[in-house]
Amino acid sequence: MKTSTAIATGIVVVAGLYFALPALSRVSTNPFPGIYSIIDPVTGETKDVLKVKSLLGEYVVLARFTGHGPWTGPIYAKIMGNGDSYASPPLFQQDNMVSALSLDEIGYLYHTPGNRDSRVGPSDTGYISNIASFGITPLHRRPLLAGHDERGERNLHAYTPGAGERKVSVSTLNYSPRMIQVGISSARNPDNAVDTDPLNPYMSSAASCCFYLPAQAAPQLEVKLEHRWLPKGKPEVLTMTLPAYSDADELLILVQADGSMSVEFRYPGKDLDLTPEGVKSINGKPYPLPPAAERKARLAAELVRRKRFLKDMYKLRDKGTGESVELAYQLRDLIDEYEKTITYLETFSTCTATLATCDKQATAAARAP
């Protein structure tokens, strides 16, 4: 089992540089554009899994089904109409205030305002998925940076690299308790720039492509970090000199707990190391995780969600599914999955050893007959 879980464009001029910032509105008439994440109830890590953008009346979706690595896609999506057919029978009678976005043949994303029932149940976060890669799962949504005006987004670039340059991806790791948006540009040419996704506290972004560097390492290469503390902070710019690099394939922007920033390069394989607790690390440092008290609260909240959903599944099973053999099998599989997951989370929550040891104990309990 697995243990891990149209914004208007704002253009701001700062110190002669242009960069896109999110223009946050009070009311959203379109509930789907945004970045969607799951929260690993064990580690507390926030993992982005979907990025939905509207385009000419349709939707384009980028995905990270494992919660790591760069965005992939695009997947084309549409809002389900009243007469459209779904791939599987409903578990619940969907409320008429709920809307569903169909992600091609991959699954569905539901908007559940006021905790109303979708075809797969309610969600206290306002969104729930029914997608094969991560199942029926509440999703957490935050705004996009600026629609399709993100610099460097999926190689859409105002900069044309020279023959003597190579590209690196850019990620931001936010170790601070504040929400932030970060971009980076070359001090020599502001068109050579990348924006990473807006980040909640204690989380890392997907790798954004691409920032260009001289193929032969150039000393004293200056960059500008353009950032804004969200939602109401003013744009700020920091000028920094890049460290030495050779075969690095990713540039990391580190936002420390006190708000200070630094940059360093990630070399292949560095993020495969493990800390003593079993948490993935990057360049020898653990990925951003919330404080222990918040991780404990997230685990407790997920247990409540899982138990509530399992109770609903028991009610559906006891009521019977009529002639629908497919629905009966779906219920059986869901109940089995949720019973095991709840056993895992309950065992883990009472363990006081290291993460790796608690994971081993909880996995054994969940597998027990």
Side-chain angles (χ1 to χ4, degrees), residues 99-110:
S99 51
L101 188 69
S102 172
L103 281 63
D104 201 6
E105 298 180 355
I106 294 172
Y108 304 93
L109 171 63
Y110 296 91

Side-chain angles (χ1 to χ4, degrees), residues 146-159:
H148 288 271
D149 293 324
E150 299 174 43
R151 300 174 302 173
E153 173 66 9
R154 297 195 56 78
N155 296 309
L156 300 178
H157 232 290
Y159 180 71

